[in-house]
Amino acid sequence: MAIGGFVEGPAAAGADYGGRVTSFVVLSCIVAGSGGILFGYDLGISGGVTSMESFLRKFFPDVYHQMKGDKNVSNYCRFDSELLTVFTSSLYVAGLVATLFASSVTRRFGRRTSILIGGTVFVLGSVFGGAAVNVYMLLLNRIFLGIGLGFTNQSIPLYLSEMAPPQYRGAINNGFELCISIGILIANLINYGVEKIAGGWGWRLSLSLAAVPAAFLTVGAIFLPETPSFIIQRGGGGGNIDEARLLLQRLRGTTRVQKELDDLVSAASQASRTTTTRRPFRNILRRKYRPQLVIALLVPFFNQVTGINVINFYAPVMFRTIGLKESASLMSAVVTRVCATAANVVAMVVVDRFGRRKLFLVGGVQMILSQVMVGAVLAAKFKDHGGMDKEYAYLVLVIMCVFVAGFAWSWGPLTYLVPTEICPLEIRSAGQSVVIAVIFLVTFLIGQTFLAMLCHLKFGTFFLFGGWVCVMTLFVYFFLPETKQLPMEQMEQVWRSHWFWKRIVDADADAGEEEEQGQRRPRRGEAAAAAAAAAGGTIALSAT
């Protein structure tokens, strides 16, 4: 058996389901997946406006004066400001709290309800951003955006995975990451355009335009159907089956949906029999769900310690740090995002053909080499004072393009796909909340510390991120099984065939069987008393 521990045979099980990818499922997933544009737009906008001189002069004058050439300040420290990092990262604290509440909403009221809530709150936050006159309004903008993203990022990957046919689940779910990348690209282009507006109010346009994708998502969500899994779950595992069957027939474009429907009903029945189904966060702590919990914690953690969000919301700042001018730094961010978007498309095409593990491993090696090369160039050519030759600045840009491409076809989309598809229905909502909560928490911590790290560790910051990428690539090689094309309702067999996880899930299964047998089998004393009572009754009957 390979180290990955997965037997390839079951992966074809999804092919037994009837149907195809219909225009109805594509349209539904496009509307839902557009929620990724919200997250991407915010990542791109926040980094762009914090490099605009007019924005810094109004809200962060200390940073503006440092950037304009205080000769006593190291090049690595020009953007080091606690207030600036609070502005950038406050969103993620709000998102962390919101996604934990979103789990209950998604489980009880449906995936569409959470999408509606998230889109509506995001529109509200955009209003505060465009109208901001002080830092407090900016922080309200970030908090409302965070709440909106907490709901949308928790529910949309669930929605996409549950609507998609198993054999195309990877490609359709990866559409969420593609939308994130498109959102960042749109934000970078807008930042580049509005920076040229005379009068210095272009940043208001950047912040307020976040309402456009949010309004599209909110209005579109009104017309979205619920997922077949939730419809059956809402009926307690045995109800709403006719409604789910009709929806499946429409989604798959065929009447041959009975096998998939049977699997969905079986999964919902299993979920309804779970004793702690109303407490999914307690449920996910059980030993039988240990593989899902570990992956739901570590995959998003590793996603963030690649350093990708440093590129996403500090790219313009970083390129200004190494010597590019305002327009050039914003255009450099556009270039890196074009590379990432192209790589996202590649991931959608190949993820269901080559599988998740291969993309994780290839992307990991690519990111390790990129981080080490950036660190080496900065160590050799960028000092505390003085500029960097333009040739080397553009070399850093090229290496960054290689880095974001490696992330965009591996850890970017797969962070949302893999934890969602491995969780059974009874813990699926909680599992996705754990993923998003970890993303927001680690993003907040990195957002709060990166500029300080850059100031103190200098080029060593990139070696640190490279070291983390080494660790996570080894984790995938040894502990993450392949899950391509396997129906979500049959995912349990993955763990029972894995070299490491089978020891945990098999031990839990044996303990569960013993417990059930113990409940069914009377104790020795009770059995003896019952036998004596039966014998006594027989003697009495004989005497009569």
Side-chain angles (χ1 to χ4, degrees), residues 36-52 92 142 180-192 206-207 309 311-317 330 333-334 337:
I37 295 178
L38 276 62
F39 192 24
Y41 188 87
D42 176 78
L43 287 171
I45 284 297
S46 58
V49 298
T50 52
S51 73
M52 294 181 187
Y92 301 102
R142 303 295 288 170
I180 292 176
S181 201
I182 291 172
I184 297 174
L185 178 60
I186 292 171
N188 290 337
L189 289 170
I190 289 174
N191 283 334
Y192 180 74
S206 291
L207 294 178
N309 274 341
I311 308 301
N312 288 338
F313 53 67
Y314 286 132
V317 169
L330 290 171
V334 172
R337 190 43 45 185

Side-chain angles (χ1 to χ4, degrees), residues 99-100 281 284 293 296-297 300 429-439:
T99 195
L100 299 178
F281 286 106
I284 201 173
L293 177 61
L297 287 169
S429 180
Q432 183 62 17
S433 286
V434 170
V435 170
I436 301 303
V438 172
I439 287 177

Side-chain angles (χ1 to χ4, degrees), residues 24 40 81 165 171 201 214 225 263 268 293 339 351 437 454 458 464 500 532 534:
F24 180 60
S81 164
W201 56 270
D263 284 344
L293 177 61
C339 294
V351 66
L454 187 63
K458 301 179 174 58
L464 177 63
F500 177 79

Side-chain angles (χ1 to χ4, degrees), residues 402-526:
V402 175
F403 171 82
V404 298
F407 180 87
W409 62 45
S410 60
W411 283 86
L414 297 180
T415 295
Y416 295 100
L417 170 62
V418 172
T420 300
E421 66 183 1
I422 64 173
C423 289
L425 185 59
E426 60 267 26
I427 62 166
R428 193 170 295 158
S429 180
Q432 183 62 17
S433 286
V434 170
V435 170
I436 301 303
V438 172
I439 287 177
F440 282 149
L441 175 62
V442 182
T443 303
F444 166 75
L445 294 176
I446 291 178
Q448 282 291 99
T449 59
F450 172 70
L451 293 178
M453 280 197 303
L454 187 63
C455 179
H456 293 91
L457 297 180
K458 301 179 174 58
F459 57 84
T461 303
F462 297 92
F463 292 129
L464 177 63
F465 285 133
W468 275 115
V469 181
C470 287
V471 172
M472 60 200 245
T473 303
L474 289 172
F475 171 80
V476 168
Y477 184 75
F478 287 108
F479 298 109
L480 188 68
E482 184 55 75
T483 55
K484 67 174 181 179
Q485 299 185 3
L486 188 66
M488 296 166 70
E489 291 72 33
Q490 300 176 18
M491 201 65 69
E492 183 181 358
Q493 59 189 289
V494 166
W495 313 114
R496 298 192 182 281
S497 59
H498 188 272
W499 73 274
F500 177 79
W501 296 119
K502 67 180 181 181
R503 306 174 191 176
I504 295 175
V505 296
D506 286 348
D508 182 78
D510 293 341
E513 290 177 4
E514 290 178 3
E515 183 178 347
E516 288 183 9
Q517 291 174 0
Q519 291 173 349
R520 291 194 302 263
R521 186 173 57 242
R523 297 176 184 175
R524 184 179 301 175
E526 292 174 348

Side-chain angles (χ1 to χ4, degrees), residues 66 128 168 173 245 303 338 365 395 431 443-444 493 504 515:
Q66 288 180 180
F128 280 95
Y168 302 110
N173 192 286
R245 178 184 288 106
N303 171 289
V338 168
V365 171
L395 175 60
T443 303
F444 166 75
Q493 59 189 289
I504 295 175
E515 183 178 347

Side-chain angles (χ1 to χ4, degrees), residues 108-349:
R108 295 180 182 179
F109 304 106
R111 288 66 169 135
R112 187 181 67 168
T113 301
S114 284
I115 296 173
L116 275 168
I117 293 172
T120 303
V121 177
F122 201 92
V123 171
L124 178 62
S126 304
V127 173
F128 280 95
V133 294
N134 54 47
V135 173
Y136 300 107
M137 289 187 70
L138 282 180
L139 292 179
L140 276 177
N141 158 258
R142 303 295 288 170
I143 290 169
F144 280 119
L145 296 186
I147 294 172
L149 291 176
F151 276 87
T152 56
N153 286 15
Q154 192 276 339
S155 53
I156 289 174
L158 284 181
Y159 186 91
L160 297 176
S161 290
E162 292 181 350
M163 293 287 278
Q167 61 270 35
Y168 302 110
R169 185 175 60 242
I172 290 176
N173 192 286
N174 282 6
F176 183 67
E177 176 68 17
L178 175 63
C179 287
I180 292 176
S181 201
I182 291 172
I184 297 174
L185 178 60
I186 292 171
N188 290 337
L189 289 170
I190 289 174
N191 283 334
Y192 180 74
V194 302
E195 180 266 331
K196 302 178 183 301
I197 294 178
W201 56 270
W203 59 267
R204 292 190 183 276
L205 198 57
S206 291
L207 294 178
S208 59
L209 282 176
V212 175
F216 174 79
L217 176 67
T218 305
V219 174
I222 296 174
F223 303 99
L224 286 178
E226 260 302 348
T227 69
S229 292
F230 176 74
I231 290 173
I232 296 173
Q233 182 187 30
R234 185 177 58 195
N240 303 323
I241 293 179
D242 289 338
E243 181 184 352
R245 178 184 288 106
L246 291 174
L247 177 59
L248 271 177
Q249 290 173 351
R250 192 176 180 191
L251 290 172
R252 306 295 181 246
T254 180
T255 57
R256 297 188 302 110
V257 297
Q258 190 60 45
K259 180 173 175 54
E260 184 173 2
L261 181 64
D262 289 342
D263 284 344
L264 292 174
V265 171
S266 176
S269 298
Q270 174 64 31
S272 65
R273 288 195 301 269
T274 303
T275 56
T276 54
T277 218
R278 296 186 180 276
R279 296 184 178 89
F281 286 106
R282 182 183 298 180
N283 205 23
I284 201 173
L285 296 176
R286 294 172 59 187
R287 183 184 177 93
K288 66 181 292 187
Y289 302 123
R290 193 64 46 79
Q292 291 92 336
L293 177 61
V294 170
I295 289 172
L297 287 169
L298 289 185
V299 166
F301 171 78
F302 288 142
N303 171 289
Q304 292 304 298
V305 295
T306 59
I308 186 60
N309 274 341
V310 169
I311 308 301
N312 288 338
F313 53 67
Y314 286 132
V317 169
M318 191 168 61
F319 288 128
R320 290 209 71 172
T321 296
I322 63 175
L324 298 181
K325 301 301 182 183
E326 186 171 6
S327 293
S329 67
L330 290 171
M331 180 51 67
S332 298
V334 172
V335 171
T336 59
R337 190 43 45 185
V338 168
C339 294
T341 304
N344 285 143
V345 175
V346 172
M348 292 181 68
V349 173

